[in-house]
Short mmCIF file of all heavy atoms in Angstrom, two decimals:
data_model
loop_
_atom_site.label_atom_id
_atom_site.label_comp_id
_atom_site.label_asym_id
_atom_site.label_seq_id
_atom_site.Cartn_x
_atom_site.Cartn_y
_atom_site.Cartn_z
N MET A 24 104.45 87.10 91.23
CA MET A 24 105.03 88.27 90.64
C MET A 24 103.97 89.05 89.89
O MET A 24 102.97 88.51 89.46
CB MET A 24 106.13 87.87 89.67
CG MET A 24 107.41 87.54 90.34
SD MET A 24 108.72 87.78 89.17
CE MET A 24 109.42 86.17 89.20
N ARG A 25 104.25 90.31 89.71
CA ARG A 25 103.32 91.19 89.01
C ARG A 25 103.32 90.83 87.53
O ARG A 25 104.34 90.61 86.93
CB ARG A 25 103.78 92.62 89.20
CG ARG A 25 102.82 93.60 88.58
CD ARG A 25 103.28 95.00 88.78
NE ARG A 25 103.26 95.29 90.20
CZ ARG A 25 104.14 96.09 90.78
NH1 ARG A 25 105.09 96.64 90.11
NH2 ARG A 25 104.07 96.31 92.06
N ARG A 26 102.16 90.79 86.96
CA ARG A 26 102.04 90.50 85.53
C ARG A 26 101.87 91.81 84.79
O ARG A 26 101.30 92.76 85.30
CB ARG A 26 100.84 89.59 85.29
CG ARG A 26 101.07 88.21 85.81
CD ARG A 26 99.83 87.36 85.56
NE ARG A 26 100.04 86.02 85.96
CZ ARG A 26 99.87 85.56 87.18
NH1 ARG A 26 99.50 86.35 88.14
NH2 ARG A 26 100.09 84.30 87.48
N GLY A 27 102.35 91.83 83.60
CA GLY A 27 102.15 93.01 82.77
C GLY A 27 103.26 94.01 82.91
O GLY A 27 104.31 93.74 83.46
N SER A 28 103.01 95.18 82.44
CA SER A 28 104.01 96.24 82.39
C SER A 28 104.23 96.86 83.75
O SER A 28 103.36 96.84 84.61
CB SER A 28 103.55 97.31 81.41
OG SER A 28 104.37 98.44 81.49
N ASP A 29 105.41 97.46 83.93
CA ASP A 29 105.71 98.20 85.14
C ASP A 29 105.29 99.65 85.00
O ASP A 29 105.66 100.48 85.81
CB ASP A 29 107.20 98.13 85.47
CG ASP A 29 107.50 97.12 86.55
OD1 ASP A 29 106.57 96.59 87.14
OD2 ASP A 29 108.69 96.92 86.79
N GLU A 30 104.53 99.95 83.96
CA GLU A 30 104.11 101.32 83.77
C GLU A 30 102.60 101.41 83.90
O GLU A 30 101.86 100.50 83.57
CB GLU A 30 104.54 101.83 82.39
CG GLU A 30 106.03 101.97 82.27
CD GLU A 30 106.40 102.73 81.02
OE1 GLU A 30 105.53 102.98 80.17
OE2 GLU A 30 107.57 103.06 80.91
N GLN A 31 102.20 102.54 84.42
CA GLN A 31 100.79 102.83 84.54
C GLN A 31 100.35 103.52 83.25
O GLN A 31 101.17 103.85 82.40
CB GLN A 31 100.56 103.76 85.73
CG GLN A 31 100.90 103.12 87.05
CD GLN A 31 100.70 104.09 88.19
OE1 GLN A 31 100.36 105.24 88.00
NE2 GLN A 31 100.92 103.62 89.39
N PRO A 32 99.06 103.77 83.10
CA PRO A 32 98.61 104.50 81.93
C PRO A 32 99.37 105.82 81.81
O PRO A 32 99.80 106.39 82.80
CB PRO A 32 97.12 104.74 82.20
CG PRO A 32 96.73 103.65 83.13
CD PRO A 32 97.96 103.35 83.94
N HIS A 33 99.56 106.29 80.64
CA HIS A 33 100.26 107.54 80.34
C HIS A 33 101.76 107.41 80.55
O HIS A 33 102.45 108.41 80.66
CB HIS A 33 99.70 108.72 81.14
CG HIS A 33 98.22 108.84 81.07
ND1 HIS A 33 97.55 109.14 79.90
CD2 HIS A 33 97.26 108.65 82.01
CE1 HIS A 33 96.24 109.16 80.15
NE2 HIS A 33 96.04 108.86 81.41
N GLY A 34 102.29 106.20 80.66
CA GLY A 34 103.73 105.99 80.75
C GLY A 34 104.35 106.29 82.08
O GLY A 34 105.56 106.24 82.23
N ALA A 35 103.60 106.60 83.12
CA ALA A 35 104.18 106.89 84.43
C ALA A 35 104.63 105.58 85.08
O ALA A 35 103.89 104.61 85.10
CB ALA A 35 103.14 107.57 85.32
N PRO A 36 105.88 105.53 85.57
CA PRO A 36 106.33 104.29 86.21
C PRO A 36 105.58 104.05 87.52
O PRO A 36 105.17 104.98 88.19
CB PRO A 36 107.82 104.55 86.47
CG PRO A 36 107.95 106.03 86.47
CD PRO A 36 106.88 106.57 85.59
N ARG A 37 105.41 102.78 87.83
CA ARG A 37 104.79 102.43 89.10
C ARG A 37 105.78 102.71 90.22
O ARG A 37 106.97 102.56 90.05
CB ARG A 37 104.42 100.95 89.13
CG ARG A 37 103.30 100.62 88.20
CD ARG A 37 102.94 99.17 88.33
NE ARG A 37 102.00 98.87 87.26
CZ ARG A 37 101.09 97.94 87.34
NH1 ARG A 37 101.00 97.19 88.39
NH2 ARG A 37 100.26 97.73 86.36
N PRO A 38 105.28 103.10 91.39
CA PRO A 38 106.18 103.34 92.52
C PRO A 38 106.90 102.05 92.90
O PRO A 38 106.33 100.96 92.83
CB PRO A 38 105.25 103.79 93.64
CG PRO A 38 103.96 104.12 92.99
CD PRO A 38 103.90 103.38 91.70
N HIS A 39 108.15 102.16 93.29
CA HIS A 39 108.92 100.99 93.73
C HIS A 39 108.50 100.60 95.14
O HIS A 39 107.99 101.41 95.89
CB HIS A 39 110.41 101.29 93.68
CG HIS A 39 110.91 101.45 92.28
ND1 HIS A 39 111.06 100.39 91.42
CD2 HIS A 39 111.27 102.54 91.59
CE1 HIS A 39 111.49 100.83 90.26
NE2 HIS A 39 111.63 102.14 90.33
N GLY A 40 108.76 99.33 95.51
CA GLY A 40 108.44 98.85 96.84
C GLY A 40 107.04 98.31 96.96
O GLY A 40 106.52 98.16 98.05
N LEU A 41 106.39 98.05 95.85
CA LEU A 41 105.03 97.53 95.88
C LEU A 41 105.02 96.07 95.46
O LEU A 41 105.85 95.64 94.68
CB LEU A 41 104.13 98.32 94.93
CG LEU A 41 104.00 99.80 95.21
CD1 LEU A 41 103.09 100.46 94.19
CD2 LEU A 41 103.49 100.06 96.60
N VAL A 42 104.09 95.33 96.01
CA VAL A 42 103.95 93.92 95.67
C VAL A 42 102.61 93.73 94.98
O VAL A 42 101.89 94.69 94.73
CB VAL A 42 104.06 93.02 96.93
CG1 VAL A 42 105.46 93.10 97.48
CG2 VAL A 42 103.06 93.39 97.98
N GLU A 43 102.27 92.48 94.70
CA GLU A 43 101.06 92.20 93.94
C GLU A 43 99.83 92.91 94.50
O GLU A 43 98.99 93.36 93.76
CB GLU A 43 100.76 90.70 93.92
CG GLU A 43 101.78 89.85 93.25
CD GLU A 43 102.78 89.28 94.23
OE1 GLU A 43 102.71 89.57 95.42
OE2 GLU A 43 103.64 88.52 93.78
N ALA A 44 99.74 93.00 95.80
CA ALA A 44 98.56 93.61 96.42
C ALA A 44 98.58 95.14 96.33
O ALA A 44 97.67 95.79 96.81
CB ALA A 44 98.45 93.17 97.88
N GLN A 45 99.66 95.70 95.74
CA GLN A 45 99.79 97.14 95.60
C GLN A 45 99.91 97.84 96.95
O GLN A 45 99.49 98.97 97.11
CB GLN A 45 98.62 97.73 94.80
CG GLN A 45 98.50 97.18 93.39
CD GLN A 45 99.70 97.56 92.53
OE1 GLN A 45 100.16 98.68 92.58
NE2 GLN A 45 100.21 96.62 91.77
N LEU A 46 100.48 97.18 97.93
CA LEU A 46 100.71 97.77 99.25
C LEU A 46 102.21 97.98 99.43
O LEU A 46 103.00 97.13 99.07
CB LEU A 46 100.20 96.83 100.35
CG LEU A 46 98.72 96.50 100.32
CD1 LEU A 46 98.39 95.43 101.35
CD2 LEU A 46 97.91 97.75 100.56
N PRO A 47 102.60 99.12 100.00
CA PRO A 47 104.04 99.33 100.23
C PRO A 47 104.55 98.40 101.32
O PRO A 47 103.84 98.10 102.28
CB PRO A 47 104.12 100.80 100.65
CG PRO A 47 102.76 101.15 101.13
CD PRO A 47 101.79 100.23 100.42
N LEU A 48 105.79 97.95 101.15
CA LEU A 48 106.41 97.14 102.18
C LEU A 48 106.78 98.06 103.34
O LEU A 48 107.38 99.10 103.14
CB LEU A 48 107.66 96.46 101.63
CG LEU A 48 107.41 95.45 100.52
CD1 LEU A 48 108.73 94.93 99.97
CD2 LEU A 48 106.56 94.31 101.03
N ASP A 49 106.40 97.67 104.54
CA ASP A 49 106.67 98.48 105.72
C ASP A 49 107.82 97.83 106.48
O ASP A 49 107.62 96.88 107.23
CB ASP A 49 105.42 98.59 106.58
CG ASP A 49 105.51 99.70 107.59
OD1 ASP A 49 106.56 100.38 107.66
OD2 ASP A 49 104.52 99.90 108.32
N HIS A 50 109.00 98.33 106.25
CA HIS A 50 110.24 97.75 106.75
C HIS A 50 110.31 97.71 108.28
O HIS A 50 110.65 96.68 108.87
CB HIS A 50 111.39 98.58 106.19
CG HIS A 50 112.73 97.97 106.32
ND1 HIS A 50 113.60 97.91 105.27
CD2 HIS A 50 113.38 97.40 107.36
CE1 HIS A 50 114.72 97.34 105.66
NE2 HIS A 50 114.60 97.03 106.91
N ALA A 51 110.01 98.80 108.95
CA ALA A 51 110.25 98.95 110.40
C ALA A 51 109.57 97.88 111.26
O ALA A 51 110.23 97.27 112.11
CB ALA A 51 109.86 100.35 110.85
N PRO A 52 108.27 97.62 111.12
CA PRO A 52 107.66 96.64 112.02
C PRO A 52 108.24 95.23 111.84
O PRO A 52 108.37 94.48 112.81
CB PRO A 52 106.19 96.64 111.66
CG PRO A 52 105.97 97.75 110.72
CD PRO A 52 107.28 98.26 110.26
N TYR A 53 108.61 94.89 110.61
CA TYR A 53 109.15 93.55 110.38
C TYR A 53 110.58 93.43 110.87
O TYR A 53 110.98 92.37 111.36
CB TYR A 53 108.98 93.15 108.92
CG TYR A 53 107.53 92.87 108.64
CD1 TYR A 53 106.70 93.85 108.10
CD2 TYR A 53 106.95 91.67 109.00
CE1 TYR A 53 105.35 93.61 107.89
CE2 TYR A 53 105.61 91.42 108.80
CZ TYR A 53 104.82 92.40 108.25
OH TYR A 53 103.47 92.16 108.07
N GLU A 54 111.34 94.50 110.75
CA GLU A 54 112.69 94.47 111.33
C GLU A 54 112.60 94.36 112.85
O GLU A 54 113.40 93.67 113.47
CB GLU A 54 113.50 95.70 110.91
CG GLU A 54 114.07 95.59 109.52
CD GLU A 54 115.10 94.48 109.37
OE1 GLU A 54 115.82 94.14 110.33
OE2 GLU A 54 115.19 93.93 108.27
N ALA A 55 111.62 95.02 113.45
CA ALA A 55 111.42 94.91 114.90
C ALA A 55 111.04 93.48 115.28
O ALA A 55 111.54 92.93 116.27
CB ALA A 55 110.36 95.89 115.37
N LEU A 56 110.18 92.86 114.49
CA LEU A 56 109.79 91.47 114.74
C LEU A 56 111.00 90.55 114.60
O LEU A 56 111.21 89.65 115.43
CB LEU A 56 108.68 91.04 113.78
CG LEU A 56 108.24 89.58 113.88
CD1 LEU A 56 107.64 89.28 115.25
CD2 LEU A 56 107.24 89.26 112.78
N VAL A 57 111.82 90.77 113.57
CA VAL A 57 113.02 89.96 113.35
C VAL A 57 113.95 90.11 114.55
O VAL A 57 114.45 89.12 115.09
CB VAL A 57 113.73 90.38 112.04
CG1 VAL A 57 115.14 89.84 111.98
CG2 VAL A 57 112.91 89.92 110.85
N THR A 58 114.19 91.34 114.97
CA THR A 58 115.07 91.59 116.11
C THR A 58 114.55 90.91 117.36
O THR A 58 115.31 90.26 118.09
CB THR A 58 115.22 93.11 116.34
OG1 THR A 58 115.75 93.69 115.15
CG2 THR A 58 116.12 93.41 117.52
N ALA A 59 113.26 91.03 117.62
CA ALA A 59 112.66 90.41 118.81
C ALA A 59 112.76 88.88 118.74
O ALA A 59 113.10 88.23 119.73
CB ALA A 59 111.21 90.84 118.96
N ALA A 60 112.48 88.32 117.58
CA ALA A 60 112.52 86.85 117.44
C ALA A 60 113.92 86.32 117.62
O ALA A 60 114.13 85.29 118.27
CB ALA A 60 111.98 86.44 116.07
N LEU A 61 114.91 87.02 117.08
CA LEU A 61 116.28 86.54 117.16
C LEU A 61 116.91 86.82 118.52
O LEU A 61 117.87 86.15 118.90
CB LEU A 61 117.12 87.15 116.04
CG LEU A 61 116.70 86.73 114.63
CD1 LEU A 61 117.53 87.46 113.59
CD2 LEU A 61 116.79 85.23 114.46
N ALA A 62 116.38 87.78 119.26
CA ALA A 62 116.94 88.12 120.57
C ALA A 62 116.50 87.14 121.66
O ALA A 62 117.17 87.02 122.68
CB ALA A 62 116.53 89.54 120.97
N ARG A 63 115.45 86.43 121.42
CA ARG A 63 114.92 85.50 122.45
C ARG A 63 115.79 84.26 122.48
O ARG A 63 115.84 83.50 121.54
CB ARG A 63 113.48 85.14 122.14
CG ARG A 63 112.62 86.38 122.12
CD ARG A 63 111.24 86.23 122.56
NE ARG A 63 110.94 85.23 123.52
CZ ARG A 63 110.29 85.48 124.65
NH1 ARG A 63 109.94 86.69 124.94
NH2 ARG A 63 109.99 84.51 125.46
N THR A 64 116.49 84.07 123.60
CA THR A 64 117.36 82.91 123.72
C THR A 64 116.65 81.74 124.39
O THR A 64 117.02 80.60 124.19
CB THR A 64 118.62 83.26 124.53
OG1 THR A 64 118.23 83.78 125.80
CG2 THR A 64 119.46 84.28 123.78
N ASN A 65 115.65 82.01 125.21
CA ASN A 65 114.92 80.95 125.88
C ASN A 65 113.43 81.25 125.79
O ASN A 65 112.78 81.50 126.80
CB ASN A 65 115.37 80.84 127.35
CG ASN A 65 114.78 79.61 128.01
OD1 ASN A 65 114.26 78.73 127.35
ND2 ASN A 65 114.85 79.57 129.33
N PRO A 66 112.87 81.21 124.58
CA PRO A 66 111.46 81.55 124.42
C PRO A 66 110.55 80.52 125.07
O PRO A 66 110.81 79.32 125.01
CB PRO A 66 111.26 81.59 122.91
CG PRO A 66 112.44 80.93 122.31
CD PRO A 66 113.52 80.88 123.34
N THR A 67 109.53 81.00 125.72
CA THR A 67 108.60 80.11 126.42
C THR A 67 107.16 80.44 126.06
O THR A 67 106.33 80.58 126.94
CB THR A 67 108.80 80.22 127.94
OG1 THR A 67 108.64 81.60 128.31
CG2 THR A 67 110.16 79.72 128.38
#
């Protein structure tokens, strides 16, 4: 988890959707991976 305040200098809130590495979570590619993984009934 992120340590410290959720505010940047000058009181500006940090953007939501960021993790420790300060990278935005990219929903679409992972949802596509989830869909592909769950759709495979006989993976080889």
